[in-house]
Amino acid sequence: DKLDIIQQMTDENGTNIDNIVNFIEKVEKILTSVSSKFPKTKLFNRLALVSSYFMNVDLIKHKNEIYKNLINDPFNQDSKEWSLRIVHNSDSKSFDEIINNIITIDRIQGQMSNQNKIKEFDDIKVSMDINTDDKTSSLRFNIENAFSFFKEAIVLHDNTLSKIEEKIKVSSVD
C-alpha cells in the first residue's frame, strides 16, 4: 500500500540531484505506468512529497547567526547542533483533504562516505514533508488526485523553501 520514489544524493556536493519539478515529472511518468495496469482504481491511501537540502553554510559564525535568528535560546549560547520543527496544515485547493507541511531545520555535523573517501561536514539541513492527512488507511486517491497533489505540493514546497532561504540569510558576507 506504499510506493516510495526517491531521488538520492550520491555525490558530496549534491550536484546529481535534479530540481523538484523535473523529479516530479519523472514520478508522474512512473505513476502513469503503474495506473495503466490498474485503470480507474484508487491506488493510494496517502500522498507525500518529501525533500531535504543542505544549505551549504560554511562559516561557523553564520551558522550561529542563523541559530539566533530561528531559535530563542534561554541559555543565550551558540549551539553546536540544534533542530527546529514546524508543522502547518492547510486545506487542499484541489480536493477535499488537509495538507500537512512538516518543516525541519537542523544544524548537523557528521561524516559522509563516498568512494572510500570520508568527508567531515557541518551544515544547515532543511527537510520538508508535504503530505495528506493520515485520517484513514483506506485507498482514497487515484492517479489524477496524485497529479493534482504534486502540482499543489510543488508550489507549497517552493514557497516554503524561499521563505526559509530568506530567513536563514546571514547579514554579513566573508
Side-chain angles (χ1 to χ4, degrees):
D1 67 343
K2 183 176 180 179
L3 171 65
D4 290 332
I5 304 170
I6 299 169
Q7 177 177 230
Q8 183 80 28
M9 179 179 75
T10 57
D11 72 359
E12 66 187 45
N13 300 319
T15 56
N16 66 316
I17 297 290
D18 209 349
N19 74 48
I20 198 77
V21 173
N22 291 342
F23 177 66
I24 292 298
E25 287 174 1
K26 293 172 187 174
V27 169
E28 288 180 345
K29 287 178 184 174
I30 294 167
L31 293 178
T32 299
S33 178
V34 169
S35 72
S36 71
K37 305 292 183 204
F38 307 97
K40 306 279 186 206
T41 303
K42 303 275 185 182
L43 298 172
F44 314 105
N45 67 338
R46 292 191 72 194
L47 301 169
L49 174 62
V50 179
S51 60
S52 293
Y53 303 93
F54 285 102
M55 302 308 290
N56 296 315
V57 179
D58 292 326
L59 298 175
I60 299 287
K61 73 177 196 174
H62 291 173
K63 292 177 184 91
N64 292 337
E65 187 176 330
I66 290 167
Y67 173 72
K68 289 174 183 170
N69 286 342
L70 293 175
I71 297 175
N72 184 6
D73 182 353
F75 304 106
N76 199 26
Q77 296 177 340
D78 292 332
S79 185
K80 184 175 158 182
E81 290 189 26
W82 47 265
S83 183
L84 174 65
R85 185 173 189 267
I86 306 162
V87 179
H88 296 276
N89 303 92
S90 60
D91 293 326
S92 170
K93 294 173 180 64
S94 306
F95 43 87
D96 187 27
E97 283 287 330
I98 293 173
I99 303 293
N100 304 307
N101 187 4
I102 303 162
I103 306 155
T104 308
I105 305 172
D106 303 299
R107 178 176 175 190
I108 58 174
Q109 298 177 338
Q111 295 180 332
M112 186 178 300
S113 175
N114 190 7
Q115 299 176 358
N116 296 328
K117 289 188 245 174
I118 295 178
K119 180 182 175 185
E120 301 280 330
F121 68 90
D122 178 359
D123 204 351
I124 306 296
K125 181 181 178 184
V126 174
S127 301
M128 276 185 274
D129 181 354
I130 302 169
N131 61 65
T132 55
D133 199 48
D134 62 351
K135 64 184 174 190
T136 179
S137 61
S138 65
L139 298 176
R140 62 188 196 268
F141 299 111
N142 60 27
I143 194 72
E144 290 81 19
N145 298 138
F147 291 167
S148 294
F149 168 81
F150 286 127
K151 284 185 178 86
E152 193 170 335
I154 287 172
V155 170
L156 183 57
H157 170 277
D158 289 348
N159 289 342
T160 302
L161 190 57
S162 291
K163 288 177 184 174
I164 292 168
E165 287 172 338
E166 186 63 33
K167 183 69 178 168
I168 69 169
K169 255 186 201 168
V170 291
S171 59
S172 58
V173 177
D174 291 302

